[in-house]
Amino acid sequence: MNEATLEIPYEIPEGARNPVEPFLRMDRMPHIWCAGCGIGTTVNCFTRALLDSKANLDKVAIVSGIGCTGRVAGYARLDSFHTTHGRAIPFATGLKLANPELQVVVYSGDGDLFAIGGNHFIHAARRNMDLKVICVNNMIYAMTGGQTAPTTPATAITATSPYGVSEPTFNLVALAEAAGASYVARWTTYHVKQLARSMEEVLKKKGFCFIEVISPCPTLYQRRNKMGDGLDAMKDYKAKSKVRNGAPTGECTLSKTGEIVVGKFVDRERPDYLELLKAQMIESLGDRYVEPEEACCSEC
Amino acid sequence: MVERFASRIPTVGGIFIQMEDELAASITIQGAVWGGAKAFTVTSGPGFSLMMEHIGYAAMTETPCVFVNVQRGGPSTGLPTLPAQADMMQARWGSHGDYGIIALCPNSPQECFDLTITAFNLSEEFRVPVMMMLDECVGHMTEKVVIPEAEKIAVTPRRYTTQPPEEFRAFEPKGDMVPDMVKAGDGYRFHVTGLTHDERGYPSMNVETQDRLVRRLLDKLKPLANGRALCETEGLDDADVVVVSYGITSRVAQRALQMARQRGIRAGKFRLISAWPFPAERIRELAGRVKAFVVPEINLGQMVYEVERAAAGKAKVIPVSHAGGTVHKPEAILKAIVEAAQ
């Protein structure tokens, strides 16, 4: 790279820093994400949401699985857990049950949450476990070299589908709604304001909340499919996305070149897992029920 | 075990959750641990295979937790609800990579109670997953159990750090090679990963960090391998033959040992209670002064290889194998003792 391109054409006041820096482990920068990748944009939105929600950051925990988005937990200056492939949700379930005052955010990718981890997603949604699940959907297994994921649109070329994907793609928002999620939204990394607002909303909402973020993978998905770079993805998202709040999620299936329906699709009230548990135990056991204040014993 | 726990735990301030599968159960308990709870899960047969990845995760992230495996015949679906002891090597080596674990083998309902407490205590002390390796017979056995008063039960508390967050490094080992614990929500903003990590808990994929971390994961268990190994012995002072056994097989071996002594054979008992880390030094010492070891187990040869390795050719090692489905006949073990004594 030419030295001249690194020059910043304006003065940075001494001591000035990006307002999201306190939310990040700056001692781990630079991050591993490629130029044009959308994950960093979603993290920026998330930190904005934390800032705007005025959440007590000591009580926010973030859990990731494996993959490019799986690395988010490692950069967030929160109590953060980088778990195994597909198992961020059950780990987060245990964390939440042991300490219900924690706000537990699951931040992971489409392959992690919906292929290997799909079973846990539907059951956590069914239980209405109080977890905020943010799925960065780049439509491919990116970390491992661009293999087909359950979210890869039909006909797309990938490392393992050199002649084009023949399988139908997963409609994540329909799945989330059908399984019982209390909140379901989808945005793209072009919709930074709307995404940050949705993230702020779920931080204030109880129950199982799901946000899908369509995000570019210029290195593996777009390159193989001749879709240009990160900027081209933004232009594409701008042109093809249509905000339809409350749209029936069954009509929101994504395709390789078709419309991208975005918006908040579901926002409903259901008692969450711990509320249901408590009610059932009181119903059955009455005074014999001892509420798990803190599941920890007094000596610890 | 699960049915009793589900019935009792809501009356004592705990939570039972029936997860969707063993992958989930084996990592939900670890989330609970980092949230400040003590947690365990229970399985048998194929379920134990499904839990292997998270046994590795618990070892790598030094998450204290307990796995109970009531062993049945395998491989695959094998012999549901019929006994075996064929998961002993899986308990030690089942997850990929190098790591250490603790495995305890009760042989009675009383020991199931007592050793479960020990399992939790050891998991806190060494910060490793601890396996309770029952077999179907011990798992389904009905016997008198004396439950002591709660205040008489020694409980090892979790060793939480006393350092302030700005000084605390989540995976910095202390004098016993075990780092102090921390839990979510206390303002430490710590990071836990299954990737090779440095003392801060940050991923660090280089040869030096890998060597330092993985060696420590094994070395921290050395005190338990040697001086503090849990075992029950009898008649070793004058023994020519030592029967090494564990779990239900140790109770069958007890009968064989009686019959051998009645015939004038100087046979002694070495019952493994902590099977892993394997008490190699104890076996090595015995190997120098006995003729032979007889190792009955309900598998086609697992712990017998450890006995062989420790004996290092100084004494004969005779397996008494059994493919599972029932226990040994005492006569089969006696036959091996008689042969060994010749």
Side-chain angles (χ1 to χ4, degrees):
Chain A
M1 195 183 279
N2 186 324
E3 285 260 333
T5 62
L6 293 171
E7 269 176 35
I8 299 167
Y10 50 84
E11 289 278 311
I12 297 178
E14 207 170 320
R17 55 180 193 166
N18 191 313
V20 304
E21 279 185 24
F23 297 85
L24 300 175
R25 297 185 193 275
M26 295 307 289
D27 53 346
R28 288 210 60 211
M29 296 296 148
H31 56 68
I32 62 159
W33 298 313
C34 304
C37 169
I39 299 170
T41 308
T42 73
V43 172
N44 207 339
C45 293
F46 180 62
T47 54
R48 295 279 173 178
L50 285 173
L51 200 63
D52 293 344
S53 72
K54 299 186 171 58
N56 175 0
L57 298 188
D58 286 347
K59 301 294 178 192
V60 180
I62 183 166
V63 185
S64 288
I66 296 294
C68 290
T69 312
R71 294 303 184 97
V72 170
Y75 298 127
R77 215 171 73 77
L78 300 166
D79 289 334
S80 54
F81 302 92
H82 183 220
T83 64
T84 53
H85 200 16
R87 318 302 170 194
I89 286 177
F91 184 99
T93 296
L95 194 59
K96 181 72 191 179
L97 296 184
N99 188 353
E101 70 167 6
L102 290 175
Q103 175 69 268
V104 182
V105 177
V106 172
Y107 213 120
S108 218
D110 48 306
D112 182 81
L113 285 167
F114 290 96
I116 189 167
N119 196 29
H120 310 309
F121 182 90
I122 58 175
H123 287 284
R126 171 179 65 80
R127 295 182 179 112
N128 202 24
M129 196 59 71
D130 186 21
L131 302 175
K132 320 301 157 198
V133 179
I134 295 161
C135 173
V136 178
N137 180 3
N138 57 13
M139 305 186 178
I140 204 147
Y141 283 107
M143 176 73 85
T144 48
Q147 296 83 8
T148 304
T151 43
T152 311
T155 75
I157 306 294
T158 76
T160 48
S161 298
Y163 309 114
V165 171
S166 56
E167 295 179 20
T169 183
F170 234 154
N171 178 345
L172 306 184
V173 291
L175 179 75
E177 183 183 17
S182 290
Y183 183 106
V184 180
R186 176 198 281 155
W187 301 104
T188 77
T189 51
Y190 172 73
H191 299 87
V192 287
K193 293 269 184 202
Q194 295 93 326
L195 175 58
R197 202 179 310 126
S198 260
M199 287 170 162
E200 191 187 340
E201 270 182 23
V202 301
L203 286 169
K204 290 174 176 168
K205 187 172 173 73
K206 217 165 185 205
F208 189 89
C209 299
F210 175 61
I211 302 174
E212 177 185 15
V213 193
I214 309 300
S215 172
C217 176
T219 308
L220 294 159
Y221 181 73
Q222 287 172 254
R223 179 172 56 84
R224 284 210 176 91
N225 288 287
K226 300 186 170 43
M227 293 168 88
D229 60 14
L231 185 59
D232 293 315
M234 292 303 105
K235 289 174 182 163
D236 195 46
Y237 292 165
K238 184 184 177 189
K240 289 191 187 131
S241 59
K242 191 168 175 191
V243 179
R244 282 177 66 200
N245 290 313
T249 51
E251 296 171 9
C252 298
T253 304
L254 297 166
S255 62
K256 193 175 161 209
T257 53
E259 186 179 75
I260 304 169
V261 180
V262 294
K264 179 164 81 174
F265 306 126
V266 177
D267 190 351
R268 57 189 170 188
E269 299 304 319
R270 284 178 63 208
D272 77 358
Y273 175 84
L274 282 168
E275 289 166 343
L276 289 167
L277 177 72
K278 185 177 172 180
Q280 184 62 36
M281 290 301 137
I282 288 170
E283 169 81 19
S284 291
L285 291 168
D287 290 346
R288 289 175 55 219
Y289 176 54
V290 177
E291 216 178 321
E293 300 287 344
E294 222 185 32
C296 190
C297 68
S298 57
E299 286 115 311
C300 358
Chain B
M1 217 172 299
V2 171
E3 288 166 12
R4 175 67 184 151
F5 192 79
S7 151
R8 173 114 166 96
I9 202 70
T11 67
V12 293
I15 289 184
F16 164 72
I17 182 168
Q18 185 174 327
M19 294 305 291
E20 51 274 12
D21 60 33
E22 288 84 348
L23 271 307
S26 56
I27 197 153
T28 301
I29 60 171
Q30 300 186 45
V33 167
W34 287 101
K38 289 192 175 182
F40 82 117
T41 187
V42 181
T43 191
S44 173
F48 198 49
S49 295
L50 292 171
M51 291 182 175
M52 285 301 130
E53 182 177 13
H54 293 142
I55 288 171
Y57 187 75
M60 187 57 144
T61 57
E62 301 183 71
T63 303
C65 52
V66 174
F67 292 78
V68 180
N69 175 19
V70 183
Q71 297 172 82
R72 71 195 211 195
S76 190
T77 315
L79 294 175
T81 76
L82 292 173
Q85 298 178 306
D87 307 347
M88 296 304 296
M89 283 290 171
Q90 186 184 25
R92 173 64 187 88
W93 304 104
S95 202
H96 58 279
D98 283 319
Y99 61 96
I101 53 95
I102 295 170
L104 307 178
C105 297
N107 77 350
S108 67
Q110 180 69 52
E111 263 195 4
C112 287
F113 180 86
D114 296 338
L115 288 181
T116 299
I117 297 164
T118 307
F120 275 97
N121 287 348
L122 291 173
S123 79
E124 295 296 340
E125 183 181 349
F126 292 98
R127 284 187 62 177
V128 291
V130 178
M131 318 297 142
M132 283 287 285
M133 298 297 286
L134 283 62
D135 47 72
E136 180 277 333
C137 296
V138 172
H140 280 148
M141 195 180 285
T142 304
E143 268 181 1
K144 188 172 95 173
V145 175
V146 178
I147 298 177
E149 286 165 41
E151 54 271 23
K152 289 191 179 144
I153 295 176
V155 173
T156 303
R158 188 157 295 163
R159 194 175 81 198
Y160 283 116
T161 182
T162 51
Q163 285 177 290
E166 58 279 11
E167 287 171 21
F168 180 64
R169 282 149 49 98
F171 289 87
E172 184 171 62
K174 302 301 170 190
D176 58 357
M177 289 198 269
V178 179
D180 286 346
M181 274 294 284
V182 62
K183 68 178 192 293
D186 287 353
Y188 281 82
R189 312 276 188 93
F190 59 99
H191 184 57
V192 174
T193 179
L195 288 167
T196 295
H197 47 272
D198 61 20
E199 284 70 17
R200 293 171 302 174
Y202 288 4
S204 172
M205 270 141 287
N206 61 63
V207 176
E208 293 74 23
T209 312
Q210 168 75 2
D211 187 78
R212 196 165 69 239
L213 174 62
V214 178
R215 282 188 196 282
R216 183 174 65 75
L217 294 180
L218 280 155
D219 288 347
K220 68 179 178 179
L221 286 166
K222 276 189 177 162
L224 200 60
N226 302 321
R228 289 177 54 195
L230 304 173
C231 54
E232 186 192 347
T233 61
E234 204 178 285
L236 291 185
D237 290 346
D238 67 342
D240 290 327
V241 179
V242 174
V243 177
V244 181
S245 62
Y246 54 94
I248 189 61
T249 308
S250 67
R251 294 178 70 157
V252 182
Q254 188 73 25
R255 176 72 188 130
L257 284 163
Q258 278 172 4
M259 295 191 291
R261 284 273 173 182
Q262 280 162 9
R263 293 178 180 210
I265 299 170
R266 289 189 302 218
K269 167 166 90 174
F270 192 101
R271 174 161 79 93
L272 297 165
I273 299 175
S274 56
W276 301 114
F278 186 75
E281 275 185 17
R282 296 290 305 273
I283 298 293
R284 196 171 299 130
E285 182 267 318
L286 281 170
R289 60 185 172 91
V290 303
K291 278 189 193 167
F293 293 98
V294 169
V295 189
E297 43 184 349
I298 312 177
N299 58 51
L300 299 187
Q302 296 198 13
M303 298 311 288
V304 66
Y305 294 124
E306 285 298 300
V307 178
E308 239 169 38
R309 186 175 64 82
K314 284 193 261 170
K316 267 198 299 184
V317 179
I318 301 168
V320 186
S321 64
H322 185 316
T326 180
V327 296
H328 288 79
K329 287 198 163 59
E331 293 74 18
I333 301 171
L334 177 67
K335 187 164 166 268
I337 296 171
V338 172
E339 280 170 20
Q342 280 162 8

